[in-house]
Amino acid sequence: MNEVNVSMKINGKTVTGSVESRVLLAHFIREQGGLTGTHVGCDSSSCGVCTVLLDGYTPVKSCTMYAVMADGHEITTVESLAVGGKLHPMQQAFWDQHGLQCGYCTPGMMLSSIALLKQNPNPTEHEIREGLSGNLCRCTGYNNIVKAVQQAAQVMNQPELAAAADD
Amino acid sequence: MFPASFEYVRAHSSDEAFAHLQQHGSDARVLAGGQSLIPAMRYRLARPAVLVDINPIKEFSYLREENGFLVIGATTRDAQLEFAPFIKDRYSLITAVSAVVADPIVRHMGTVVGSICHNDPAGDWTATALAMRAVMVVRGPNGTRQVPIDQFLVDSYTTAVNEGEMALEVRIPIPDAHTQGSYQKIERKVGDYATCAAAVQLAMNADGTIRQAGIAITASGPIAMRVAAAESMLVGQRPTLELLKAAAAEAPKIASPNADQRGSSEYKKDMTRVLVGRGLKQALERLGVTA
């Protein structure tokens, strides 16, 4: 058995485990981290549902990375988005714009969208579609996902909008 | 599917990685971005006994211009090229290709050097390296050596990197102000293998003749291939539509694409002609030259 000790911060919390070197990051997050919001879809690096953020805002497909490669790194998953029961502006936007139906692609879709807005805070519709082209959705037809990212971009650029919505 | 079991070793320096590779020989593979290798391992198409992870080697991640070359390190990600402003300003072929390699998420992990070393028959970076006349730097037991890309790409998934060696960087001649390129790719969907693609770069003389032409096609045979006959037809000539057409017609002569769900062999062959033609036209447009 090629076991390795792996330790990483997932959503700010240290998760350690002795796992086989062939264990993929997605499975480490789900099984060692107990965080099942990171889904596994195509299992072949195509669909993007397993997307998580590495060391800040770098989106990576956690099914195409060995857990041991993330040793000593920081991972952000969908579970970290809502704080104290309050949805992240991206989650709120997906809710408001009906950016999901079955919801299976949604964690990866939202994390990719957050990474996209970090790189480009005011994307055009075309840039959103291009930026999310590594994430597949088989329900929505993408239009409402694009609208959700547009709403989130607006809110995240003007936090007072989010505050006003709470009143 | 899970990959076969393997021993994982982490390298923190070039020397350490090299020592591991020397020790394990043909059992070992270099793990860079892993975006081709890991899926291949998951399908059990690759079963290396040892993976030498070079990602922790900080000095392998660079993208800089020196001595007339753009130099790309062994762990430099595709996305670093895609988002570097100086690339966008002056490297039209690299700008075009870096937006269509795999998908945006894969480009955050995938590396240029790794992709060239993988030498997939449908590789985008291999075709680009041919069109730009890149040189690979390989570390071997007798020190480092430079290998022109034409000699580096040996056969499908096979390069001039021998057992126990590793590629350190790719060096691409910096295009001057009279050089432009184009990347033309047909794919069924983002992230799929190309149905066919062509990389083109043209450099002009002050008198309006073509100084240098780089033309390569990919997903059209066992490896990306230089269309040498088209290049020599163009060099020294003034571009005319007839000349471009004749040059593009050279591409299908060397293409040997496999028929698959993306199209018949005849269709793909003809697409090499179409895409080389489009690439030449777009490169000339970018140069402000009317054919």
Side-chain angles (χ1 to χ4, degrees):
Chain A
M1 292 283 278
N2 288 301
E3 291 248 338
V4 282
N5 286 315
V6 175
S7 177
M8 68 185 78
K9 274 198 169 163
I10 305 179
N11 303 330
K13 203 178 132 210
T14 302
V15 178
T16 56
S18 176
V19 296
E20 276 196 76
S21 49
R22 61 178 170 166
V23 166
L24 297 158
L25 178 59
H27 297 289
F28 187 89
I29 292 168
R30 291 174 61 85
E31 287 158 25
Q32 262 66 36
L35 298 166
T36 52
T38 300
H39 296 163
V40 176
C42 69
D43 241 3
S44 62
S45 196
S46 302
C47 75
V49 306
C50 65
T51 303
V52 298
L53 303 180
L54 174 69
D55 295 333
Y57 291 92
T58 301
V60 295
K61 292 185 177 178
S62 62
C63 83
T64 310
M65 189 167 169
Y66 293 117
V68 65
M69 293 167 77
D71 183 60
H73 291 267
E74 294 184 13
I75 297 294
T76 302
T77 72
V78 68
E79 284 90 347
S80 74
L81 296 183
V83 177
K86 183 173 163 26
L87 296 182
H88 184 283
M90 190 62 74
Q91 292 172 305
Q92 188 62 51
F94 269 70
W95 179 310
D96 292 345
Q97 300 296 333
H98 305 284
L100 65 149
Q101 286 175 34
C102 85
Y104 203 75
C105 74
T106 314
M109 200 63 89
M110 292 194 301
L111 290 167
S112 262
S113 301
I114 288 168
L116 171 69
L117 294 186
K118 188 71 185 173
Q119 182 80 41
N120 179 0
N122 287 298
T124 62
E125 182 189 333
H126 178 73
E127 286 167 341
I128 294 171
R129 288 182 185 273
E130 287 282 323
L132 296 182
S133 57
N135 296 81
L136 300 185
C137 172
R138 286 293 177 253
C139 302
T140 63
Y142 299 101
N143 285 335
N144 290 348
I145 291 175
V146 174
K147 285 183 197 162
V149 178
Q150 287 169 325
Q151 174 182 317
Q154 210 176 2
V155 173
M156 288 162 73
N157 289 335
Q158 297 171 270
E160 61 274 20
L161 280 182
D166 285 345
D167 296 340
Chain B
M1 204 163 117
F2 276 90
S5 189
F6 62 88
E7 184 192 342
Y8 172 88
V9 291
R10 185 178 284 141
H12 294 95
S13 68
S14 179
D15 287 348
E16 217 177 293
F18 188 68
H20 286 306
L21 291 169
Q22 287 284 310
Q23 185 194 335
H24 296 289
S26 61
D27 289 341
R29 286 287 299 270
V30 171
L31 174 63
Q35 301 301 288
S36 296
L37 180 58
I38 296 174
M41 290 176 69
R42 301 194 64 183
Y43 287 118
R44 306 265 173 133
L45 298 171
R47 301 180 70 140
V50 180
L51 283 190
V52 179
D53 186 358
I54 61 167
N55 288 287
I57 307 176
K58 295 277 177 284
E59 68 265 26
F60 272 4
S61 177
Y62 51 85
L63 178 64
R64 58 178 178 244
E65 294 179 318
E66 66 184 29
N67 305 325
F69 288 89
L70 173 71
V71 190
I72 306 170
T75 60
T76 303
R77 316 287 167 187
D78 295 342
Q80 286 173 258
L81 280 81
E82 188 179 4
F83 296 117
F86 81 97
I87 295 284
K88 198 146 280 171
D89 291 344
R90 305 208 313 274
Y91 294 82
S92 49
L93 174 50
I94 291 180
T95 300
V97 72
S98 69
V100 297
V101 173
D103 71 49
I105 309 172
V106 168
R107 293 198 290 272
H108 277 96
M109 275 304 278
T111 66
V112 179
V113 172
S115 169
I116 294 173
C117 289
H118 185 58
N119 200 11
D120 190 284
D124 294 303
W125 286 118
T126 45
T128 303
L130 283 167
M132 298 185 82
R133 293 187 155 73
V135 174
M136 301 299 292
V137 177
V138 178
R139 180 171 179 178
N142 305 316
T144 61
R145 66 179 191 278
Q146 302 209 354
V147 186
I149 190 69
D150 293 77
Q151 277 90 65
F152 187 84
L153 304 173
V154 174
D155 200 351
S156 307
Y157 310 108
T158 307
T159 68
V161 177
N162 297 318
E163 219 172 86
E165 298 188 329
M166 69 176 162
L168 297 180
E169 62 183 28
V170 52
R171 304 173 71 85
I172 295 174
I174 298 173
D176 66 11
H178 307 289
T179 301
Q180 290 289 345
S182 169
Y183 197 70
Q184 299 289 327
K185 180 176 183 177
I186 304 176
E187 56 183 354
R188 295 181 305 172
K189 63 174 195 62
V190 168
D192 188 23
Y193 288 104
T195 303
C196 178
V200 170
Q201 184 170 274
L202 293 176
M204 302 301 288
N205 286 314
D207 67 359
T209 57
I210 295 170
R211 177 163 53 84
Q212 199 182 50
I215 302 170
I217 53 175
T218 191
S220 308
I223 50 173
M225 290 173 290
R226 177 182 303 287
V227 191
E231 293 178 350
S232 52
M233 194 182 281
L234 292 169
V235 172
Q237 304 297 314
R238 259 167 228 288
T240 63
L241 286 175
E242 291 71 37
L243 181 66
L244 299 187
K245 216 171 151 179
E250 291 296 326
K253 294 182 191 168
I254 62 162
S256 56
N258 289 328
D260 60 15
Q261 66 272 41
R262 298 173 187 85
S264 66
S265 179
E266 293 72 24
Y267 166 75
K268 291 180 177 184
K269 265 192 180 182
D270 198 43
M271 286 306 105
T272 65
R273 178 187 64 80
V274 171
L275 296 187
V276 168
R278 285 180 191 166
L280 289 169
K281 278 185 199 151
Q282 186 170 54
L284 287 171
E285 273 166 31
R286 287 176 172 158
L287 285 157
V289 174
T290 330

